[in-house]
Amino acid sequence: QVRLVESGGDSVQTGGSLKLSCQISGSGLFSYFGSCIGWFRRFRGMGYEGVAAISPTDGSTWYPDSVKGRFTISADHAANTVYLQLNGLKPEDTGTYICAAAHSAYCREDYYATFGVYNYEGQGTQVTVTS
């Protein structure tokens, strides 16, 4: 059983900042250090867009060009929590932000943003950016 719980979403103005949290707990075959943790966003029922991923094993991170330099993913291993710092927010960043976990093999450039390889996901937290 793996559980991911997101928090920190809010409504902010353009240029504002938020810090999202993803609390991860699991048992059985799931291993936090054997995983890849990704953040995705979804707007009005459209597809999932990968915005960041991190390997808890070595701290490697991945971002698409649309958020590079504005978003930062980090992890607190002692708390099994992954964070996503959002800076310089724009209206197009609006959406439901979802934390997901996949096998560590998918922590690579060609897979990190593919939602289908992630086995577990949280319920999401809403981010709204107003102009």
Side-chain angles (χ1 to χ4, degrees):
Q1 189 79 6
V2 180
R3 190 163 181 244
L4 301 98
V5 180
E6 304 93 335
S7 61
D10 204 344
S11 180
V12 297
Q13 291 188 328
T14 298
S17 298
L18 287 172
K19 187 171 186 177
L20 309 183
S21 299
C22 174
Q23 173 71 45
I24 303 160
S25 60
S27 61
L29 297 178
F30 177 77
S31 169
Y32 172 73
F33 284 104
S35 68
C36 182
I37 307 299
W39 279 97
F40 291 81
R41 64 187 178 193
R42 196 176 188 195
F43 181 67
R44 290 183 179 175
M46 297 177 66
Y48 294 88
E49 179 188 6
V51 296
I54 188 167
S55 166
T57 301
D58 61 12
S60 297
T61 57
W62 293 263
Y63 306 93
D65 289 342
S66 59
V67 307
K68 201 170 288 184
R70 300 189 298 123
F71 291 9
T72 304
I73 190 170
S74 61
D76 180 344
H77 300 319
N80 274 20
T81 300
V82 172
Y83 303 99
L84 185 66
Q85 178 69 44
L86 315 176
N87 295 327
L89 283 163
K90 306 174 182 179
E92 53 263 42
D93 293 320
T94 293
T96 301
Y97 281 69
I98 298 159
C99 174
H103 189 276
S104 60
Y106 293 109
C107 256
R108 41 189 281 184
E109 183 67 30
D110 52 346
Y111 277 111
Y112 81 92
T114 303
F115 189 74
V117 305
Y118 288 76
N119 303 105
Y120 309 101
E121 64 181 280
Q123 293 297 309
T125 186
Q126 180 65 31
V127 172
T128 302
V129 185
T130 58
S131 56

